[in-house]
Amino acid sequence: MSKTAQLKLDDKDYVLPVIVGTEGEKAIDTRTLRATSGYIAYDQGYGNTGSCESSITYLDGENGVLRHRGYPIEQLAMHSNFVETAYLVIYGELPTVAQRRAFSDRLRQNAAIEPQMQAIFQGYPKDAPPMAMLSSMVASLAAHYPQLATNDFEKDLQNFDLAAGMAISKIRTIGAMIYRYQRGLAYIPPKDIPFCDNLLHMMFSELYQDYVAVPEVARALNTLLLLHADHEQNCSTSTVRMVGSSAANLFTSLSAGICALSGPLHGGANTAVMHMLQSIHDEHDDGTRFIAAAKSGTKSNRLMGFGHPVYRNFDPRAKIIGKACDEVLQKLGINDPLLEIAKNLEQAALKDDYFISRKLYPNVDFYSGIIMRALGVPVNMFTVIFAIGRSPGWIANWREVAANPKGRIYRPRQVYSGPVKRDYVPLAQRG
Ligand code: ACO
């Protein structure tokens, strides 16, 4: 017999079904609670609310586990690459040779940005925030390809393969264009080369000299994007699902996800880490003073890149990226003083009772900024790179929403805390 939960309210007993996920995660199904009892479940910020069932990513924060479609992130980082992992995240299985080729072909064939869309850039100031440009350019895809963005789930799902390939590939190209536009540099069209090499080419090539990435650099970028491919119901992914649940098309939903990612509490942590490391460097501190200040408990002094809302043991992505960071810096012969500071901070914090007792460990953002800096990516582009990496997860989640025959529009409730009913007072009587 399946398990249930009993709830006693106003002397009445309610029996609520229990849902158990494939990895044993348990949830009390409160969907009928309001209709049967008049109560809603209150959970500000949804920290304890399962908003959906999803078969894409499994995350166990207590034990530092992250798996996409069952495959551990460590194995994917070791053996796969971003494009293959994107396919896995979106379609649920590792691709066969033919599927892999067809997917790559779709990415390559849809990489370029048409002149009409290139012209949109001219309307932005040169110093426009990169994420603002990215979200509006991605929203514009719905205007440029209306046949792929009908706001009708059935039709949009029929064109899903093309729309998904186009989205991943073009978000990457738009990202490179933003970098160039801010520097007054002309658009460099994509070439017929692998995904990450192409991103580096479109960012860094010069008029008569193509940038050719050394394999270690392309590999580091691959690892970075792969590690960001999906991360369960985070703020931007939930936003994509919420917008998609209204039957909004893929491009529009992705644009909303990019807006959510632009906030400093979500996509901006790696930037904050770099600012922190730079200020420690500028103040000629080795990190000791900063650690002491971080222990004061004030939010403004927090050790950026440490702690995570979900991981309470370690962030498995941080281990992988820390190693990738070492490798690429060594290969490029870069002696980055900020890396030294980061390592000192990490070692000191991991030995310190304040951080140990609060289960504060480095998160993925602690080292990702240093890798990007080594690759030549400026700090204001960090979140754009994060968005390129996260695009498969957003797409997979949009698809789950669109393809769910029992799906309904996301519409949370609230507990109203404003004034109770009162009568309108004419302006003349208000003083
Ligand atoms: N440095 C110093 N102290 C910290 C830090 C930190 N980075 N993070 C948490 N603490 C302390 C808090 O002051 C609190 O101490 P107290 O128990 O004495 O009051 C305790 O640890 C628990 O902190 P919470 O705020 O409850 O932790 P929460 O899980 O809510 O916050 C968060 C997690 C926001 C990530 C936090 O650790 C933080 O601000 N980290 C730095 C910013 C960062 O790296 N963010 C990126 C996270 S990845 C992502 O979300 C995309």
Side-chain angles (χ1 to χ4, degrees), residues 265-266 269 294 302-309 312 354-355 358 360 363 365:
L265 295 184
H266 186 12
R302 281 192 172 177
L303 186 51
M304 301 313 290
F306 258 67
H308 194 277
R312 294 297 172 188
Y354 174 92
F355 295 92
R358 287 169 179 76
L360 299 170
N363 60 49
D365 292 315

mmCIF file with all atom_site columns, all heavy atoms in Angstrom, residues 265-266 269 294 302-309 312 354-355 358 360 363 365, ligand 1:
data_model
loop_
_atom_site.group_PDB
_atom_site.id
_atom_site.type_symbol
_atom_site.label_atom_id
_atom_site.label_alt_id
_atom_site.label_comp_id
_atom_site.label_asym_id
_atom_site.label_entity_id
_atom_site.label_seq_id
_atom_site.pdbx_PDB_ins_code
_atom_site.Cartn_x
_atom_site.Cartn_y
_atom_site.Cartn_z
_atom_site.occupancy
_atom_site.B_iso_or_equiv
_atom_site.pdbx_formal_charge
_atom_site.auth_seq_id
_atom_site.auth_comp_id
_atom_site.auth_asym_id
_atom_site.auth_atom_id
_atom_site.pdbx_PDB_model_num
ATOM   1   N N   . LEU A 1 265 ? 22.522 37.506 -7.185  1.00 0.00 ? 265 LEU A N   1
ATOM   2   C CA  . LEU A 1 265 ? 22.431 36.378 -6.253  1.00 0.00 ? 265 LEU A CA  1
ATOM   3   C C   . LEU A 1 265 ? 22.417 35.040 -6.980  1.00 0.00 ? 265 LEU A C   1
ATOM   4   O O   . LEU A 1 265 ? 22.540 33.984 -6.374  1.00 0.00 ? 265 LEU A O   1
ATOM   5   C CB  . LEU A 1 265 ? 21.159 36.488 -5.402  1.00 0.00 ? 265 LEU A CB  1
ATOM   6   C CG  . LEU A 1 265 ? 21.096 37.680 -4.470  1.00 0.00 ? 265 LEU A CG  1
ATOM   7   C CD1 . LEU A 1 265 ? 19.840 37.626 -3.620  1.00 0.00 ? 265 LEU A CD1 1
ATOM   8   C CD2 . LEU A 1 265 ? 22.337 37.750 -3.586  1.00 0.00 ? 265 LEU A CD2 1
ATOM   9   N N   . HIS A 1 266 ? 22.219 35.078 -8.290  1.00 0.00 ? 266 HIS A N   1
ATOM   10  C CA  . HIS A 1 266 ? 22.156 33.822 -9.040  1.00 0.00 ? 266 HIS A CA  1
ATOM   11  C C   . HIS A 1 266 ? 23.373 33.708 -9.962  1.00 0.00 ? 266 HIS A C   1
ATOM   12  O O   . HIS A 1 266 ? 24.294 32.953 -9.688  1.00 0.00 ? 266 HIS A O   1
ATOM   13  C CB  . HIS A 1 266 ? 20.836 33.788 -9.817  1.00 0.00 ? 266 HIS A CB  1
ATOM   14  C CG  . HIS A 1 266 ? 20.550 32.505 -10.527 1.00 0.00 ? 266 HIS A CG  1
ATOM   15  N ND1 . HIS A 1 266 ? 21.266 31.344 -10.322 1.00 0.00 ? 266 HIS A ND1 1
ATOM   16  C CD2 . HIS A 1 266 ? 19.615 32.196 -11.456 1.00 0.00 ? 266 HIS A CD2 1
ATOM   17  C CE1 . HIS A 1 266 ? 20.785 30.393 -11.084 1.00 0.00 ? 266 HIS A CE1 1
ATOM   18  N NE2 . HIS A 1 266 ? 19.784 30.876 -11.785 1.00 0.00 ? 266 HIS A NE2 1
ATOM   19  N N   . ALA A 1 269 ? 27.634 35.399 -8.887  1.00 0.00 ? 269 ALA A N   1
ATOM   20  C CA  . ALA A 1 269 ? 28.546 35.073 -7.790  1.00 0.00 ? 269 ALA A CA  1
ATOM   21  C C   . ALA A 1 269 ? 30.002 34.988 -8.267  1.00 0.00 ? 269 ALA A C   1
ATOM   22  O O   . ALA A 1 269 ? 30.916 35.403 -7.546  1.00 0.00 ? 269 ALA A O   1
ATOM   23  C CB  . ALA A 1 269 ? 28.126 33.778 -7.116  1.00 0.00 ? 269 ALA A CB  1
ATOM   24  N N   . ALA A 1 294 ? 35.276 37.810 7.343   1.00 0.00 ? 294 ALA A N   1
ATOM   25  C CA  . ALA A 1 294 ? 34.167 36.956 6.885   1.00 0.00 ? 294 ALA A CA  1
ATOM   26  C C   . ALA A 1 294 ? 33.492 36.251 8.058   1.00 0.00 ? 294 ALA A C   1
ATOM   27  O O   . ALA A 1 294 ? 32.317 35.910 7.989   1.00 0.00 ? 294 ALA A O   1
ATOM   28  C CB  . ALA A 1 294 ? 34.681 35.933 5.873   1.00 0.00 ? 294 ALA A CB  1
ATOM   29  N N   . ARG A 1 302 ? 30.996 38.454 3.527   1.00 0.00 ? 302 ARG A N   1
ATOM   30  C CA  . ARG A 1 302 ? 31.037 36.997 3.281   1.00 0.00 ? 302 ARG A CA  1
ATOM   31  C C   . ARG A 1 302 ? 32.152 36.603 2.322   1.00 0.00 ? 302 ARG A C   1
ATOM   32  O O   . ARG A 1 302 ? 32.505 37.360 1.419   1.00 0.00 ? 302 ARG A O   1
ATOM   33  C CB  . ARG A 1 302 ? 29.699 36.543 2.695   1.00 0.00 ? 302 ARG A CB  1
ATOM   34  C CG  . ARG A 1 302 ? 28.677 36.409 3.782   1.00 0.00 ? 302 ARG A CG  1
ATOM   35  C CD  . ARG A 1 302 ? 27.442 35.708 3.303   1.00 0.00 ? 302 ARG A CD  1
ATOM   36  N NE  . ARG A 1 302 ? 26.597 35.458 4.463   1.00 0.00 ? 302 ARG A NE  1
ATOM   37  C CZ  . ARG A 1 302 ? 25.406 34.910 4.418   1.00 0.00 ? 302 ARG A CZ  1
ATOM   38  N NH1 . ARG A 1 302 ? 24.894 34.558 3.263   1.00 0.00 ? 302 ARG A NH1 1
ATOM   39  N NH2 . ARG A 1 302 ? 24.719 34.711 5.506   1.00 0.00 ? 302 ARG A NH2 1
ATOM   40  N N   . LEU A 1 303 ? 32.650 35.423 2.548   1.00 0.00 ? 303 LEU A N   1
ATOM   41  C CA  . LEU A 1 303 ? 33.653 34.869 1.650   1.00 0.00 ? 303 LEU A CA  1
ATOM   42  C C   . LEU A 1 303 ? 32.921 34.404 0.394   1.00 0.00 ? 303 LEU A C   1
ATOM   43  O O   . LEU A 1 303 ? 32.222 33.393 0.403   1.00 0.00 ? 303 LEU A O   1
ATOM   44  C CB  . LEU A 1 303 ? 34.337 33.695 2.368   1.00 0.00 ? 303 LEU A CB  1
ATOM   45  C CG  . LEU A 1 303 ? 35.523 33.034 1.702   1.00 0.00 ? 303 LEU A CG  1
ATOM   46  C CD1 . LEU A 1 303 ? 36.575 34.047 1.277   1.00 0.00 ? 303 LEU A CD1 1
ATOM   47  C CD2 . LEU A 1 303 ? 36.148 32.025 2.659   1.00 0.00 ? 303 LEU A CD2 1
ATOM   48  N N   . MET A 1 304 ? 33.036 35.179 -0.674  1.00 0.00 ? 304 MET A N   1
ATOM   49  C CA  . MET A 1 304 ? 32.282 34.870 -1.890  1.00 0.00 ? 304 MET A CA  1
ATOM   50  C C   . MET A 1 304 ? 32.799 33.568 -2.503  1.00 0.00 ? 304 MET A C   1
ATOM   51  O O   . MET A 1 304 ? 34.003 33.296 -2.460  1.00 0.00 ? 304 MET A O   1
ATOM   52  C CB  . MET A 1 304 ? 32.394 36.015 -2.916  1.00 0.00 ? 304 MET A CB  1
ATOM   53  C CG  . MET A 1 304 ? 31.885 37.345 -2.406  1.00 0.00 ? 304 MET A CG  1
ATOM   54  S SD  . MET A 1 304 ? 30.280 37.259 -1.581  1.00 0.00 ? 304 MET A SD  1
ATOM   55  C CE  . MET A 1 304 ? 29.192 36.914 -2.924  1.00 0.00 ? 304 MET A CE  1
ATOM   56  N N   . GLY A 1 305 ? 31.891 32.790 -3.067  1.00 0.00 ? 305 GLY A N   1
ATOM   57  C CA  . GLY A 1 305 ? 32.287 31.500 -3.629  1.00 0.00 ? 305 GLY A CA  1
ATOM   58  C C   . GLY A 1 305 ? 32.309 30.405 -2.586  1.00 0.00 ? 305 GLY A C   1
ATOM   59  O O   . GLY A 1 305 ? 32.711 29.275 -2.873  1.00 0.00 ? 305 GLY A O   1
ATOM   60  N N   . PHE A 1 306 ? 31.898 30.748 -1.361  1.00 0.00 ? 306 PHE A N   1
ATOM   61  C CA  . PHE A 1 306 ? 31.800 29.749 -0.294  1.00 0.00 ? 306 PHE A CA  1
ATOM   62  C C   . PHE A 1 306 ? 30.354 29.615 0.154   1.00 0.00 ? 306 PHE A C   1
ATOM   63  O O   . PHE A 1 306 ? 29.646 30.603 0.288   1.00 0.00 ? 306 PHE A O   1
ATOM   64  C CB  . PHE A 1 306 ? 32.660 30.155 0.910   1.00 0.00 ? 306 PHE A CB  1
ATOM   65  C CG  . PHE A 1 306 ? 33.948 29.413 0.979   1.00 0.00 ? 306 PHE A CG  1
ATOM   66  C CD1 . PHE A 1 306 ? 34.916 29.619 0.009   1.00 0.00 ? 306 PHE A CD1 1
ATOM   67  C CD2 . PHE A 1 306 ? 34.197 28.492 1.986   1.00 0.00 ? 306 PHE A CD2 1
ATOM   68  C CE1 . PHE A 1 306 ? 36.107 28.930 0.039   1.00 0.00 ? 306 PHE A CE1 1
ATOM   69  C CE2 . PHE A 1 306 ? 35.390 27.794 2.029   1.00 0.00 ? 306 PHE A CE2 1
ATOM   70  C CZ  . PHE A 1 306 ? 36.345 28.007 1.053   1.00 0.00 ? 306 PHE A CZ  1
ATOM   71  N N   . GLY A 1 307 ? 29.943 28.395 0.422   1.00 0.00 ? 307 GLY A N   1
ATOM   72  C CA  . GLY A 1 307 ? 28.571 28.145 0.858   1.00 0.00 ? 307 GLY A CA  1
ATOM   73  C C   . GLY A 1 307 ? 27.671 27.956 -0.357  1.00 0.00 ? 307 GLY A C   1
ATOM   74  O O   . GLY A 1 307 ? 28.006 28.366 -1.485  1.00 0.00 ? 307 GLY A O   1
ATOM   75  N N   . HIS A 1 308 ? 26.566 27.285 -0.140  1.00 0.00 ? 308 HIS A N   1
ATOM   76  C CA  . HIS A 1 308 ? 25.613 27.054 -1.229  1.00 0.00 ? 308 HIS A CA  1
ATOM   77  C C   . HIS A 1 308 ? 24.239 26.799 -0.623  1.00 0.00 ? 308 HIS A C   1
ATOM   78  O O   . HIS A 1 308 ? 24.148 26.127 0.418   1.00 0.00 ? 308 HIS A O   1
ATOM   79  C CB  . HIS A 1 308 ? 26.057 25.843 -2.076  1.00 0.00 ? 308 HIS A CB  1
ATOM   80  C CG  . HIS A 1 308 ? 25.338 25.757 -3.373  1.00 0.00 ? 308 HIS A CG  1
ATOM   81  N ND1 . HIS A 1 308 ? 24.099 25.185 -3.483  1.00 0.00 ? 308 HIS A ND1 1
ATOM   82  C CD2 . HIS A 1 308 ? 25.672 26.210 -4.604  1.00 0.00 ? 308 HIS A CD2 1
ATOM   83  C CE1 . HIS A 1 308 ? 23.709 25.279 -4.746  1.00 0.00 ? 308 HIS A CE1 1
ATOM   84  N NE2 . HIS A 1 308 ? 24.632 25.898 -5.450  1.00 0.00 ? 308 HIS A NE2 1
ATOM   85  N N   . PRO A 1 309 ? 23.190 27.315 -1.273  1.00 0.00 ? 309 PRO A N   1
ATOM   86  C CA  . PRO A 1 309 ? 21.863 27.095 -0.685  1.00 0.00 ? 309 PRO A CA  1
ATOM   87  C C   . PRO A 1 309 ? 21.461 25.623 -0.626  1.00 0.00 ? 309 PRO A C   1
ATOM   88  O O   . PRO A 1 309 ? 20.647 25.229 0.200   1.00 0.00 ? 309 PRO A O   1
ATOM   89  C CB  . PRO A 1 309 ? 20.918 27.864 -1.610  1.00 0.00 ? 309 PRO A CB  1
ATOM   90  C CG  . PRO A 1 309 ? 21.752 28.567 -2.612  1.00 0.00 ? 309 PRO A CG  1
ATOM   91  C CD  . PRO A 1 309 ? 23.164 28.131 -2.468  1.00 0.00 ? 309 PRO A CD  1
ATOM   92  N N   . ARG A 1 312 ? 25.414 21.011 1.150   1.00 0.00 ? 312 ARG A N   1
ATOM   93  C CA  . ARG A 1 312 ? 25.786 21.179 2.547   1.00 0.00 ? 312 ARG A CA  1
ATOM   94  C C   . ARG A 1 312 ? 27.019 20.366 2.901   1.00 0.00 ? 312 ARG A C   1
ATOM   95  O O   . ARG A 1 312 ? 27.366 20.209 4.058   1.00 0.00 ? 312 ARG A O   1
ATOM   96  C CB  . ARG A 1 312 ? 24.628 20.750 3.456   1.00 0.00 ? 312 ARG A CB  1
ATOM   97  C CG  . ARG A 1 312 ? 23.426 21.626 3.345   1.00 0.00 ? 312 ARG A CG  1
ATOM   98  C CD  . ARG A 1 312 ? 23.752 23.052 3.785   1.00 0.00 ? 312 ARG A CD  1
ATOM   99  N NE  . ARG A 1 312 ? 22.642 23.948 3.513   1.00 0.00 ? 312 ARG A NE  1
ATOM   100 C CZ  . ARG A 1 312 ? 22.703 25.262 3.651   1.00 0.00 ? 312 ARG A CZ  1
ATOM   101 N NH1 . ARG A 1 312 ? 23.818 25.847 4.023   1.00 0.00 ? 312 ARG A NH1 1
ATOM   102 N NH2 . ARG A 1 312 ? 21.663 26.014 3.396   1.00 0.00 ? 312 ARG A NH2 1
ATOM   103 N N   . TYR A 1 354 ? 34.905 28.011 12.082  1.00 0.00 ? 354 TYR A N   1
ATOM   104 C CA  . TYR A 1 354 ? 33.725 28.790 11.673  1.00 0.00 ? 354 TYR A CA  1
ATOM   105 C C   . TYR A 1 354 ? 33.121 28.190 10.404  1.00 0.00 ? 354 TYR A C   1
ATOM   106 O O   . TYR A 1 354 ? 31.915 27.964 10.317  1.00 0.00 ? 354 TYR A O   1
ATOM   107 C CB  . TYR A 1 354 ? 34.144 30.258 11.412  1.00 0.00 ? 354 TYR A CB  1
ATOM   108 C CG  . TYR A 1 354 ? 33.024 31.104 10.834  1.00 0.00 ? 354 TYR A CG  1
ATOM   109 C CD1 . TYR A 1 354 ? 32.175 31.836 11.663  1.00 0.00 ? 354 TYR A CD1 1
ATOM   110 C CD2 . TYR A 1 354 ? 32.808 31.161 9.457   1.00 0.00 ? 354 TYR A CD2 1
ATOM   111 C CE1 . TYR A 1 354 ? 31.142 32.604 11.137  1.00 0.00 ? 354 TYR A CE1 1
ATOM   112 C CE2 . TYR A 1 354 ? 31.778 31.920 8.924   1.00 0.00 ? 354 TYR A CE2 1
ATOM   113 C CZ  . TYR A 1 354 ? 30.947 32.639 9.768   1.00 0.00 ? 354 TYR A CZ  1
ATOM   114 O OH  . TYR A 1 354 ? 29.926 33.381 9.238   1.00 0.00 ? 354 TYR A OH  1
ATOM   115 N N   . PHE A 1 355 ? 33.959 27.915 9.417   1.00 0.00 ? 355 PHE A N   1
ATOM   116 C CA  . PHE A 1 355 ? 33.464 27.402 8.129   1.00 0.00 ? 355 PHE A CA  1
ATOM   117 C C   . PHE A 1 355 ? 33.091 25.924 8.224   1.00 0.00 ? 355 PHE A C   1
ATOM   118 O O   . PHE A 1 355 ? 32.105 25.480 7.654   1.00 0.00 ? 355 PHE A O   1
ATOM   119 C CB  . PHE A 1 355 ? 34.525 27.627 7.026   1.00 0.00 ? 355 PHE A CB  1
ATOM   120 C CG  . PHE A 1 355 ? 34.755 29.093 6.764   1.00 0.00 ? 355 PHE A CG  1
ATOM   121 C CD1 . PHE A 1 355 ? 35.749 29.783 7.443   1.00 0.00 ? 355 PHE A CD1 1
ATOM   122 C CD2 . PHE A 1 355 ? 33.948 29.788 5.881   1.00 0.00 ? 355 PHE A CD2 1
ATOM   123 C CE1 . PHE A 1 355 ? 35.944 31.142 7.234   1.00 0.00 ? 355 PHE A CE1 1
ATOM   124 C CE2 . PHE A 1 355 ? 34.131 31.151 5.673   1.00 0.00 ? 355 PHE A CE2 1
ATOM   125 C CZ  . PHE A 1 355 ? 35.139 31.832 6.352   1.00 0.00 ? 355 PHE A CZ  1
ATOM   126 N N   . ARG A 1 358 ? 29.733 25.389 10.003  1.00 0.00 ? 358 ARG A N   1
ATOM   127 C CA  . ARG A 1 358 ? 28.578 25.846 9.218   1.00 0.00 ? 358 ARG A CA  1
ATOM   128 C C   . ARG A 1 358 ? 28.487 25.140 7.861   1.00 0.00 ? 358 ARG A C   1
ATOM   129 O O   . ARG A 1 358 ? 27.664 25.479 7.026   1.00 0.00 ? 358 ARG A O   1
ATOM   130 C CB  . ARG A 1 358 ? 28.667 27.358 9.002   1.00 0.00 ? 358 ARG A CB  1
ATOM   131 C CG  . ARG A 1 358 ? 28.368 28.140 10.260  1.00 0.00 ? 358 ARG A CG  1
ATOM   132 C CD  . ARG A 1 358 ? 28.727 29.608 10.106  1.00 0.00 ? 358 ARG A CD  1
ATOM   133 N NE  . ARG A 1 358 ? 28.421 30.360 11.320  1.00 0.00 ? 358 ARG A NE  1
ATOM   134 C CZ  . ARG A 1 358 ? 29.144 30.336 12.446  1.00 0.00 ? 358 ARG A CZ  1
ATOM   135 N NH1 . ARG A 1 358 ? 30.222 29.572 12.508  1.00 0.00 ? 358 ARG A NH1 1
ATOM   136 N NH2 . ARG A 1 358 ? 28.790 31.037 13.490  1.00 0.00 ? 358 ARG A NH2 1
ATOM   137 N N   . LEU A 1 360 ? 30.478 25.217 5.277   1.00 0.00 ? 360 LEU A N   1
ATOM   138 C CA  . LEU A 1 360 ? 30.710 26.143 4.179   1.00 0.00 ? 360 LEU A CA  1
ATOM   139 C C   . LEU A 1 360 ? 31.927 25.677 3.381   1.00 0.00 ? 360 LEU A C   1
ATOM   140 O O   . LEU A 1 360 ? 33.039 25.648 3.901   1.00 0.00 ? 360 LEU A O   1
ATOM   141 C CB  . LEU A 1 360 ? 30.943 27.560 4.721   1.00 0.00 ? 360 LEU A CB  1
ATOM   142 C CG  . LEU A 1 360 ? 29.789 28.170 5.525   1.00 0.00 ? 360 LEU A CG  1
ATOM   143 C CD1 . LEU A 1 360 ? 30.222 29.459 6.214   1.00 0.00 ? 360 LEU A CD1 1
ATOM   144 C CD2 . LEU A 1 360 ? 28.592 28.425 4.621   1.00 0.00 ? 360 LEU A CD2 1
ATOM   145 N N   . ASN A 1 363 ? 32.087 26.729 -3.650  1.00 0.00 ? 363 ASN A N   1
ATOM   146 C CA  . ASN A 1 363 ? 31.109 26.334 -4.663  1.00 0.00 ? 363 ASN A CA  1
ATOM   147 C C   . ASN A 1 363 ? 31.728 26.514 -6.057  1.00 0.00 ? 363 ASN A C   1
ATOM   148 O O   . ASN A 1 363 ? 32.866 26.975 -6.184  1.00 0.00 ? 363 ASN A O   1
ATOM   149 C CB  . ASN A 1 363 ? 29.793 27.111 -4.477  1.00 0.00 ? 363 ASN A CB  1
ATOM   150 C CG  . ASN A 1 363 ? 29.980 28.606 -4.604  1.00 0.00 ? 363 ASN A CG  1
ATOM   151 O OD1 . ASN A 1 363 ? 30.591 29.082 -5.540  1.00 0.00 ? 363 ASN A OD1 1
ATOM   152 N ND2 . ASN A 1 363 ? 29.450 29.356 -3.623  1.00 0.00 ? 363 ASN A ND2 1
ATOM   153 N N   . ASP A 1 365 ? 31.533 28.577 -8.277  1.00 0.00 ? 365 ASP A N   1
ATOM   154 C CA  . ASP A 1 365 ? 31.950 29.918 -8.695  1.00 0.00 ? 365 ASP A CA  1
ATOM   155 C C   . ASP A 1 365 ? 33.311 30.319 -8.157  1.00 0.00 ? 365 ASP A C   1
ATOM   156 O O   . ASP A 1 365 ? 33.893 31.298 -8.595  1.00 0.00 ? 365 ASP A O   1
ATOM   157 C CB  . ASP A 1 365 ? 30.913 30.945 -8.225  1.00 0.00 ? 365 ASP A CB  1
ATOM   158 C CG  . ASP A 1 365 ? 29.616 30.777 -8.976  1.00 0.00 ? 365 ASP A CG  1
ATOM   159 O OD1 . ASP A 1 365 ? 29.685 30.615 -10.200 1.00 0.00 ? 365 ASP A OD1 1
ATOM   160 O OD2 . ASP A 1 365 ? 28.553 30.789 -8.341  1.00 0.00 ? 365 ASP A OD2 1
HETATM 161 N N1  . ACO B 2 .   ? 31.108 33.527 4.331   1.00 0.00 ? 1   ACO B N1  1
HETATM 162 C C1  . ACO B 2 .   ? 30.992 33.674 5.673   1.00 0.00 ? 1   ACO B C1  1
HETATM 163 N N2  . ACO B 2 .   ? 29.938 33.220 6.383   1.00 0.00 ? 1   ACO B N2  1
HETATM 164 C C2  . ACO B 2 .   ? 28.969 32.614 5.688   1.00 0.00 ? 1   ACO B C2  1
HETATM 165 C C3  . ACO B 2 .   ? 29.022 32.444 4.301   1.00 0.00 ? 1   ACO B C3  1
HETATM 166 C C4  . ACO B 2 .   ? 30.145 32.920 3.623   1.00 0.00 ? 1   ACO B C4  1
HETATM 167 N N3  . ACO B 2 .   ? 30.262 32.781 2.304   1.00 0.00 ? 1   ACO B N3  1
HETATM 168 N N4  . ACO B 2 .   ? 27.907 31.798 3.877   1.00 0.00 ? 1   ACO B N4  1
HETATM 169 C C5  . ACO B 2 .   ? 27.170 31.582 4.977   1.00 0.00 ? 1   ACO B C5  1
HETATM 170 N N5  . ACO B 2 .   ? 27.803 32.073 6.062   1.00 0.00 ? 1   ACO B N5  1
HETATM 171 C C6  . ACO B 2 .   ? 27.368 31.947 7.455   1.00 0.00 ? 1   ACO B C6  1
HETATM 172 C C7  . ACO B 2 .   ? 26.172 32.832 7.755   1.00 0.00 ? 1   ACO B C7  1
HETATM 173 O O1  . ACO B 2 .   ? 26.575 34.104 8.225   1.00 0.00 ? 1   ACO B O1  1
HETATM 174 C C8  . ACO B 2 .   ? 25.460 32.007 8.802   1.00 0.00 ? 1   ACO B C8  1
HETATM 175 O O2  . ACO B 2 .   ? 26.142 32.163 10.016  1.00 0.00 ? 1   ACO B O2  1
HETATM 176 P P1  . ACO B 2 .   ? 25.337 32.110 11.404  1.00 0.00 ? 1   ACO B P1  1
HETATM 177 O O3  . ACO B 2 .   ? 24.785 30.707 11.482  1.00 0.00 ? 1   ACO B O3  1
HETATM 178 O O4  . ACO B 2 .   ? 26.365 32.411 12.430  1.00 0.00 ? 1   ACO B O4  1
HETATM 179 O O5  . ACO B 2 .   ? 24.261 33.152 11.304  1.00 0.00 ? 1   ACO B O5  1
HETATM 180 C C9  . ACO B 2 .   ? 25.674 30.579 8.348   1.00 0.00 ? 1   ACO B C9  1
HETATM 181 O O6  . ACO B 2 .   ? 26.906 30.605 7.590   1.00 0.00 ? 1   ACO B O6  1
HETATM 182 C C10 . ACO B 2 .   ? 24.562 30.034 7.469   1.00 0.00 ? 1   ACO B C10 1
HETATM 183 O O7  . ACO B 2 .   ? 24.324 30.987 6.459   1.00 0.00 ? 1   ACO B O7  1
HETATM 184 P P2  . ACO B 2 .   ? 22.997 31.070 5.616   1.00 0.00 ? 1   ACO B P2  1
HETATM 185 O O8  . ACO B 2 .   ? 22.799 32.463 5.134   1.00 0.00 ? 1   ACO B O8  1
HETATM 186 O O9  . ACO B 2 .   ? 21.891 30.407 6.353   1.00 0.00 ? 1   ACO B O9  1
HETATM 187 O O10 . ACO B 2 .   ? 23.342 30.175 4.391   1.00 0.00 ? 1   ACO B O10 1
HETATM 188 P P3  . ACO B 2 .   ? 22.417 30.020 3.168   1.00 0.00 ? 1   ACO B P3  1
HETATM 189 O O11 . ACO B 2 .   ? 22.399 28.597 2.853   1.00 0.00 ? 1   ACO B O11 1
HETATM 190 O O12 . ACO B 2 .   ? 21.134 30.694 3.335   1.00 0.00 ? 1   ACO B O12 1
HETATM 191 O O13 . ACO B 2 .   ? 23.183 30.865 2.077   1.00 0.00 ? 1   ACO B O13 1
HETATM 192 C C11 . ACO B 2 .   ? 24.632 31.397 0.352   1.00 0.00 ? 1   ACO B C11 1
HETATM 193 C C12 . ACO B 2 .   ? 23.869 30.300 1.105   1.00 0.00 ? 1   ACO B C12 1
HETATM 194 C C13 . ACO B 2 .   ? 23.698 32.547 -0.036  1.00 0.00 ? 1   ACO B C13 1
HETATM 195 C C14 . ACO B 2 .   ? 25.203 30.802 -0.909  1.00 0.00 ? 1   ACO B C14 1
HETATM 196 C C15 . ACO B 2 .   ? 25.757 31.929 1.275   1.00 0.00 ? 1   ACO B C15 1
HETATM 197 O O14 . ACO B 2 .   ? 26.578 30.854 1.661   1.00 0.00 ? 1   ACO B O14 1
HETATM 198 C C16 . ACO B 2 .   ? 26.584 33.030 0.644   1.00 0.00 ? 1   ACO B C16 1
HETATM 199 O O15 . ACO B 2 .   ? 26.200 34.205 0.711   1.00 0.00 ? 1   ACO B O15 1
HETATM 200 N N6  . ACO B 2 .   ? 27.746 32.657 -0.012  1.00 0.00 ? 1   ACO B N6  1
HETATM 201 C C17 . ACO B 2 .   ? 28.566 33.629 -0.670  1.00 0.00 ? 1   ACO B C17 1
HETATM 202 C C18 . ACO B 2 .   ? 27.976 34.010 -1.999  1.00 0.00 ? 1   ACO B C18 1
HETATM 203 C C19 . ACO B 2 .   ? 28.109 32.889 -3.032  1.00 0.00 ? 1   ACO B C19 1
HETATM 204 O O16 . ACO B 2 .   ? 29.161 32.313 -3.243  1.00 0.00 ? 1   ACO B O16 1
HETATM 205 N N7  . ACO B 2 .   ? 26.987 32.624 -3.716  1.00 0.00 ? 1   ACO B N7  1
HETATM 206 C C20 . ACO B 2 .   ? 26.939 31.641 -4.802  1.00 0.00 ? 1   ACO B C20 1
HETATM 207 C C21 . ACO B 2 .   ? 26.204 30.419 -4.407  1.00 0.00 ? 1   ACO B C21 1
HETATM 208 S S1  . ACO B 2 .   ? 25.941 29.453 -5.820  1.00 0.00 ? 1   ACO B S1  1
HETATM 209 C C22 . ACO B 2 .   ? 24.438 29.938 -6.388  1.00 0.00 ? 1   ACO B C22 1
HETATM 210 O O17 . ACO B 2 .   ? 23.509 30.148 -5.655  1.00 0.00 ? 1   ACO B O17 1
HETATM 211 C C23 . ACO B 2 .   ? 24.242 30.149 -7.852  1.00 0.00 ? 1   ACO B C23 1
#
